[in-house]
C-alpha cells in the first residue's frame, strides 16, 4: 500500500543521508521508484549508483522493468539515455 511505500522511501533516504555511498540503499530506492512507475525518481537514484561505478547494474534494473512493461515510453527513454 502507498503508506508502506512512503515509509520505505523515507527509510531509504535516511540511510542514504547517513552513508551516501550505501549501494544497497541506492539499488533499493531505484527498484522502489521503478516499481512505483516514478521514472524520474528512479533515474535520479540511478545516477548516484552510476557515479559509484554501478552503471551496468542500473541498466539491468531498467531492462528488467522494461521487459515487464514494454509499452512504458518514459522507461524506454530513460534506458536509451543510459547507452
Amino acid at each position: 500500500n502507498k503508506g508502506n511505500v512512503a515509509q520505505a522511501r523515507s527509510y531509504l533516504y535516511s540511510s542514504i543521508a547517513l552513508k551516501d555511498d550505501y549501494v544497497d540503499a541506492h539499488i533499493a530506492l531505484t527498484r522502489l521508484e521503478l516499481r512505483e512507475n516514478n521514472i524520474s525518481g528512479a533515474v535520479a537514484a540511478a545516477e548516484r549508483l552510476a557515479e559509484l561505478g554501478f552503471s551496468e547494474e542500473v541498466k539491468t534494473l531498467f531492462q528488467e522493468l522494461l521487459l515487464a512493461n514494454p509499452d512504458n515510453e518514459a522507461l524506454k527513454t530513460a534506458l536509451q539515455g543510459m547507452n
Side-chain angles (χ1 to χ4, degrees):
N1 85 32
K2 293 292 181 190
N4 291 341
V5 169
Q7 187 174 22
R9 186 179 283 120
S10 176
Y11 287 147
L12 290 168
Y13 278 117
S14 294
S15 296
I16 291 166
L18 292 171
K19 189 171 186 321
D20 184 53
D21 62 348
Y22 184 22
V23 172
D24 290 338
H26 287 286
I27 289 172
L29 182 59
T30 302
R31 286 181 187 264
L32 177 112
E33 298 300 7
L34 287 171
R35 199 169 37 250
E36 291 299 304
N37 202 32
N38 179 5
I39 305 305
S40 62
V43 168
E47 285 174 348
R48 181 62 181 133
L49 273 172
E51 290 170 4
L52 293 170
F54 292 88
S55 57
E56 289 305 312
E57 289 82 349
V58 169
K59 284 183 193 177
T60 300
L61 289 171
F62 277 70
Q63 288 168 342
E64 288 173 2
L65 190 65
L66 187 58
L67 286 173
N69 302 283
D71 297 327
N72 189 317
E73 293 302 320
L75 190 54
K76 287 179 188 177
T77 301
L79 188 56
Q80 287 173 349
M82 292 179 198
N83 294 325

